[in-house]
Amino acid sequence: MSATPTTALVADDEPLLRQSLVRKLKSVWPELKVVAEARNGREAVKLFEEKQPDICFLDIHMPGKSGIEAAQSIGRRAHLVFVTAYDNYAVEAFSQGALDYLVKPVEIERLADTAERLRERLSSCKPVNHQQELLEQLARQLQSKEDKPYLRWIRASIGQQLRMIPVEDVHYLRSDEKYTLVAWSESGNNNLEACIRTPLKDLTHQLDPELFAQVHRSVVVNLKAVRHVIRDGDTAQITLLNREEILPVSRRYLHLFRQM
């Protein structure tokens, strides 16, 4: 008599990322059976009640009901793994080991580690400690981030001048060790640059994700400034409108240009 297979639900409002995670799960855990795929938090809860999977992979940012809100509805009835695009998001809470998380784009090695931990928990029936408290903490952090407005101006000192650079005029930001290079234009013509002391990682999460995208560990680009992208194996290069610089796209962020 064969053992009952472990089952899972995958919820993400981005179909390509959801399907990619399902494929990777099949690669690192062939015996795992994905019994449901949800497009938002409400659908995730509905499908959970129907299918009762052992594990739920929940994207944190989903329309209607967040992954955290869906997790609160599911409670302790499943092992929870959150998927987030923000690598510094709630890591401290997750690192306590009661909940697991994956950073987008999900790397196969990290997913394999998560799969191993889940197998151990499932085999030992290890309880999930402090889950409700952690979910409440994460919900407060999520609400705090959503209430915070996006950055509108970047202050840069150029000589004796303090320049107020409108964020929408910024072409790209590039980390340069202790500084961040800000490249922008005035009136759509004069290309300018300035270095500011704010680290790139502190700026990234203040930018509107509909306008800016991180394409490399050290580069964030304004999508409106992109002329075209040329893929080169597992990486790519971005050519900008009205600028000569070529920006790198690392393998980790190549999924942003998956349609190529």
Side-chain angles (χ1 to χ4, degrees):
M1 180 177 176
S2 60
T4 303
T6 302
T7 56
L9 174 151
V10 176
D12 195 317
D13 62 317
E14 299 179 64
L16 292 176
L17 295 182
R18 187 176 67 243
Q19 293 158 15
S20 173
L21 179 55
V22 171
R23 287 196 299 272
K24 290 176 179 175
L25 280 169
K26 187 174 183 180
S27 173
V28 303
W29 196 347
E31 301 81 15
L32 181 69
K33 186 177 181 181
V34 177
V35 294
E37 296 184 39
R39 297 166 295 182
N40 54 60
R42 288 193 176 88
E43 192 171 78
V45 175
K46 178 176 180 292
L47 289 172
F48 173 80
E49 299 296 346
E50 292 176 6
K51 305 291 184 179
Q52 297 288 306
D54 302 301
I55 305 166
C56 293
F57 294 86
L58 302 171
D59 181 28
I60 285 183
H61 289 273
M62 291 189 289
K65 180 180 284 229
S66 73
I68 295 170
E69 291 170 323
Q72 289 175 314
S73 298
I74 294 167
R76 297 167 61 94
R77 293 179 290 166
H79 292 270
L80 303 174
V81 180
F82 288 115
V83 185
T84 174
Y86 304 99
D87 56 3
N88 65 344
Y89 182 83
V91 167
E92 183 176 353
F94 289 128
S95 67
Q96 298 180 39
L99 304 171
D100 209 338
Y101 73 99
L102 296 165
V103 176
K104 293 181 182 180
V106 176
E107 295 180 346
I108 198 77
E109 295 83 5
R110 178 69 174 82
L111 183 60
D113 290 342
T114 295
E116 184 59 29
R117 280 194 292 274
L118 288 167
R119 288 193 192 95
E120 291 177 1
R121 285 182 186 165
L122 288 163
S123 62
S124 65
C125 297
K126 184 178 178 180
V128 179
N129 297 321
H130 313 302
Q131 177 167 294
Q132 191 58 37
E133 293 91 329
L134 283 170
L135 289 176
E136 290 175 359
Q137 178 183 344
L138 293 172
R140 287 194 295 272
Q141 291 182 12
L142 180 63
Q143 187 62 48
S144 174
K145 282 179 178 291
E146 290 182 343
D147 289 345
K148 190 174 182 179
Y150 295 122
L151 189 68
R152 296 180 59 196
W153 305 87
I154 293 177
R155 296 180 176 84
S157 297
I158 303 177
Q160 299 301 313
Q161 295 181 354
L162 175 64
R163 302 291 289 269
M164 300 294 290
I165 306 169
V167 168
E168 62 266 25
D169 291 343
V170 173
H171 295 155
Y172 67 90
L173 300 161
R174 190 164 199 160
S175 176
D176 184 15
E177 296 185 353
K178 296 181 181 179
Y179 302 96
T180 297
L181 173 72
V182 182
W184 83 101
S185 67
E186 287 185 339
S187 304
N189 294 315
N190 300 324
N191 288 336
L192 300 168
E193 294 181 354
C195 284
I196 61 175
R197 292 180 180 274
T198 307
L200 181 62
K201 62 183 177 60
D202 291 348
L203 290 169
T204 303
H205 300 305
Q206 300 180 60
L207 300 172
D208 183 352
E210 296 292 326
L211 186 59
F212 288 89
Q214 184 151 18
V215 295
H216 187 275
R217 177 175 53 84
S218 62
V219 179
V220 171
V221 68
N222 185 333
L223 296 173
K224 290 185 177 179
V226 175
R227 178 188 295 278
H228 59 252
V229 181
I230 298 176
R231 187 163 180 168
D232 182 17
D234 290 335
T235 62
Q237 293 183 329
I238 291 176
T239 298
L240 299 167
L241 291 166
N242 304 317
R243 296 193 78 102
E244 295 181 352
E245 300 96 315
I246 303 296
L247 302 179
V249 179
S250 64
R251 182 171 62 89
R252 178 178 181 182
Y253 300 100
L254 202 58
H255 69 283
L256 297 172
F257 310 101
R258 190 186 298 273
Q259 67 272 26
M260 288 191 302

